[in-house]
Amino acid sequence: MTRVLTKRVRARGGELADCLRACAAHSGKLVGTEDRRRIELAEQLRKLLVLWSTAPVAEPAPAATGATARPKGAGKGAATPASPLDHQLLGAPLAVADRALRCAYDDELALAGIIADTVLEHRSSSRAGWRLRGRVLEAQGRPTEAVEAYERHLELTKEDGYGVRARVDGMRAATGARTELLALLARTVPDAARFSAGPATDTWADGLAAHDAGDPAGARARMVGAILAMDRTGSPDHEVQEALSHYLGLTTGPGTSPTTDQLEAIALYANARRNRMRGPVPDPLFGGVQWLSLGEFRNRITGKSVCLIANSGRMAESRLGAGIDAYDLVVRFNSYRIDRKHTGERTDIHTTVHKHFYNWDQHVETRLVFSGISADWKHSVRNKLIPGAQTYVNDESLRWPVRNLGGKAAAELPPIPTSGFNMLWLLDFLDVSPTIDLIGFDFYESGAYRTPEAMKLAIAHVHEYGSEKAWVMERAQSVSGDGMRISLR
């Protein structure tokens, strides 16, 4: 992008040593935690501190101050790496910040902010750093600043693989709706102006008291005055939204007869909430998508031949395109790439992990979104489905097949299964397809063959490709001479 931001968000600074000290201190706070998300954060912190304590060191400096100081808790003899925050070392703090943001607690949010400052101090053109800054600011309830950080991220990247543009559009639309709503309240509750200059907390409490005392007009004036005061003093966006929700609930709840102005206020509030969650979409019902349960999915594949197409490097020269399109159902994964000659053209089922946006806009009959965490799955389905891009999407019964359907056998399966293995295991478990063929599955031994914007992604190391391969080969009925086709039926 060549557009210049009217108000540039700048990195606020962050000393590397201070960041590492903060990470070490936070790691100590998590000892003994039983919160699942904090346990995951603790593991990322451990990896970060081990990585930095064993990284190559620079020449000894005269004094251990500033960015060259060794963090408390680091092993003896450790020092700041010779090239702070190079490509390898950059990933560790970003992984910590990601897990910290998922915790959604104030302490973890502050830690993510420190990491964002530090990354941008040392890598001012880091796309990941600016996206992290935007996520932190958004979580802090500062949408205007978050949009500017996200815009900086978009300026630095050619491909919007994380759907940041849609997020920015949604935040802007939500902010506009909130501005209209506050103007409407100020206009329709004129007495609120008398109460908007005082402390918001006290004014809000007075409004609740007036409501309880049977004084609806006094309650509205004070509560709207408190909301306007919150807006004037820059209260976090989510706190303003909570107050608006409470106010509208009290004044338009059961037993009341909402006025035209109140109905307009409700519509603006709903518009703000919807855009904040999903971004502007032409059809809030996902283009008429239908939910697909385990039983319904079973019925749709019964008696049909199925082929699963790998995203492996071997697919680039397979010359199997015509044969692939001859199957009843063609299944592709995540950031699949279409090449008519080698991969075929049809995609009947797109199976994707919830984290990415790749190919969500490509029209398919069925889109299966996998996630090991229910809340993450729900958030992704709500935020990422493109209206009209699919006819069916899985419900939660198909959210994580290996774990949710595996029963006792799940203990013997890979701890973090790939999308491909989840789908393969599901088909094998249902056992209703006369043909289940895997095309190009060498478990990334030949590298990756993905849509161009996803080629930069590293092959994930959290998956146990070796154990998945062993499971497949134990059940293989036949393997073609060149190894390109593995048949399970």
Side-chain angles (χ1 to χ4, degrees):
M1 296 182 182
T2 57
R3 183 178 58 80
V4 178
L5 295 179
T6 57
K7 180 181 178 183
R8 172 77 69 200
V9 176
R10 299 181 62 188
R12 294 171 291 184
E15 295 297 336
L16 184 57
D18 292 338
C19 176
L20 295 175
R21 289 193 187 98
C23 288
H26 202 90
S27 180
K29 295 178 183 178
L30 299 180
V31 174
T33 183
E34 296 183 359
D35 185 298
R36 176 184 55 78
R37 294 180 185 252
R38 279 180 160 164
I39 291 172
E40 293 173 352
L41 170 60
E43 176 61 17
Q44 292 299 328
L45 282 165
R46 183 192 66 79
K47 292 179 180 178
L48 168 67
L49 296 171
V50 169
L51 178 62
W52 278 89
S53 67
T54 58
V57 299
E59 291 298 322
T65 59
T68 61
R70 180 164 55 90
K72 294 179 181 179
K76 292 182 179 181
T80 301
S83 300
L85 290 183
D86 62 16
H87 181 72
Q88 178 185 7
L89 297 177
L90 179 63
L94 289 175
V96 169
D98 178 68
R99 293 296 175 180
L101 283 170
R102 295 187 190 190
C103 290
Y105 301 119
D106 288 343
D107 286 351
E108 279 74 24
L109 184 57
L111 179 65
I114 291 172
I115 292 173
D117 291 345
T118 304
V119 169
L120 292 175
E121 173 68 15
H122 292 270
R123 298 280 293 274
S124 60
S125 295
S126 169
R127 293 169 297 180
W130 283 109
R131 178 171 168 267
L132 172 60
R133 167 64 61 74
R135 293 175 66 196
V136 171
L137 290 169
E138 185 178 358
Q140 290 174 337
R142 298 156 64 185
T144 301
E145 294 173 76
V147 163
E148 292 175 351
Y150 283 142
E151 288 280 14
R152 179 61 177 143
H153 163 84
L154 290 170
E155 287 182 348
L156 294 167
T157 186
K158 295 180 180 179
E159 303 293 343
D160 183 18
Y162 293 98
V164 173
R165 172 53 61 194
R167 195 71 183 152
V168 167
D169 292 343
M171 293 171 68
R172 282 187 168 146
T175 299
R178 174 184 137 166
T179 299
E180 288 186 56
L181 174 55
L182 293 179
L184 174 66
L185 293 178
R187 185 173 65 252
T188 57
V189 188
D191 288 345
R194 295 192 295 121
F195 302 99
S196 63
T201 301
D202 294 342
T203 305
W204 182 264
D206 292 342
L208 292 177
H211 179 272
D212 292 341
D215 178 13
R220 285 196 296 272
R222 288 167 175 80
M223 295 176 77
V224 171
I227 292 171
L228 295 176
M230 293 173 70
D231 179 63
R232 173 178 54 79
T233 57
S235 295
D237 184 66
H238 54 270
E239 294 182 7
V240 178
Q241 291 301 319
E242 184 179 356
L244 284 168
S245 175
H246 196 175
Y247 167 76
L248 292 172
L250 286 177
T251 57
T252 62
T256 65
S257 298
T259 66
T260 301
D261 290 336
Q262 288 174 325
L263 290 174
E264 183 181 354
I266 293 172
L268 286 170
Y269 174 77
N271 191 33
R273 286 295 299 266
R274 180 167 54 249
N275 281 303
R276 185 176 293 102
M277 286 296 296
R278 298 194 62 246
V281 295
D283 183 353
L285 298 179
F286 304 136
V289 69
Q290 299 179 50
W291 295 107
L292 198 63
S293 68
L294 173 63
E296 291 164 336
F297 178 74
R298 181 183 186 277
N299 292 339
R300 296 195 65 80
I301 67 171
T302 296
K304 296 181 178 180
S305 61
V306 183
C307 70
L308 296 82
I309 311 304
N311 295 340
S312 65
R314 298 185 69 187
M315 291 304 304
E317 301 294 335
S318 76
R319 299 179 181 271
L320 295 176
I324 288 171
D325 286 339
Y327 284 81
D328 294 328
L329 296 173
V330 179
V331 182
R332 303 186 194 272
F333 305 99
N334 297 308
S335 53
Y336 67 85
R337 185 169 183 168
I338 293 296
D339 179 330
R340 179 181 179 182
K341 181 178 182 180
H342 300 298
T343 70
E345 295 181 289
R346 281 183 36 231
T347 305
D348 301 293
I349 301 174
H350 176 214
T351 299
T352 179
V353 67
H354 77 281
K355 294 182 178 181
H356 296 307
F357 281 86
Y358 300 114
N359 291 318
W360 288 59
D361 59 339
Q362 298 302 304
H363 187 272
V364 295
E365 182 178 52
T366 301
R367 181 161 279 111
L368 301 183
V369 182
F370 291 154
S371 175
I373 301 172
S374 176
D376 291 345
W377 175 81
K378 291 175 181 176
H379 184 270
S380 294
V381 169
R382 288 169 181 163
N383 289 346
K384 297 180 183 178
L385 282 183
I386 305 299
Q390 57 281 307
T391 304
Y392 301 97
V393 67
N394 60 297
D395 69 9
E396 201 157 3
S397 66
L398 289 167
R399 170 177 60 79
W400 202 235
V402 168
R403 293 286 163 242
N404 294 348
L405 304 176
K408 293 182 179 179
E412 304 173 2
L413 298 173
I416 305 180
T418 61
S419 298
F421 190 78
N422 261 303
M423 185 64 188
L424 174 60
W425 191 92
L426 174 62
L427 294 172
D428 185 73
F429 173 82
L430 293 174
D431 194 21
V432 293
S433 301
T435 301
I436 302 176
D437 285 353
L438 286 66
I439 309 295
F441 275 73
D442 63 4
F443 304 89
Y444 288 115
E445 292 176 4
S446 61
Y449 187 59
R450 302 165 170 153
T451 190
E453 59 267 28
M455 285 300 291
K456 62 181 180 294
L457 296 179
I459 295 174
H461 295 294
V462 297
H463 304 301
E464 293 185 2
Y465 298 108
S467 60
E468 292 189 2
K469 180 178 181 180
W471 188 94
V472 168
M473 299 312 295
E474 286 175 2
R475 291 159 177 78
Q477 298 297 308
S478 64
V479 180
S480 63
D482 58 3
M484 282 295 294
R485 190 188 311 268
I486 303 173
S487 299
L488 298 193
R489 296 290 186 276

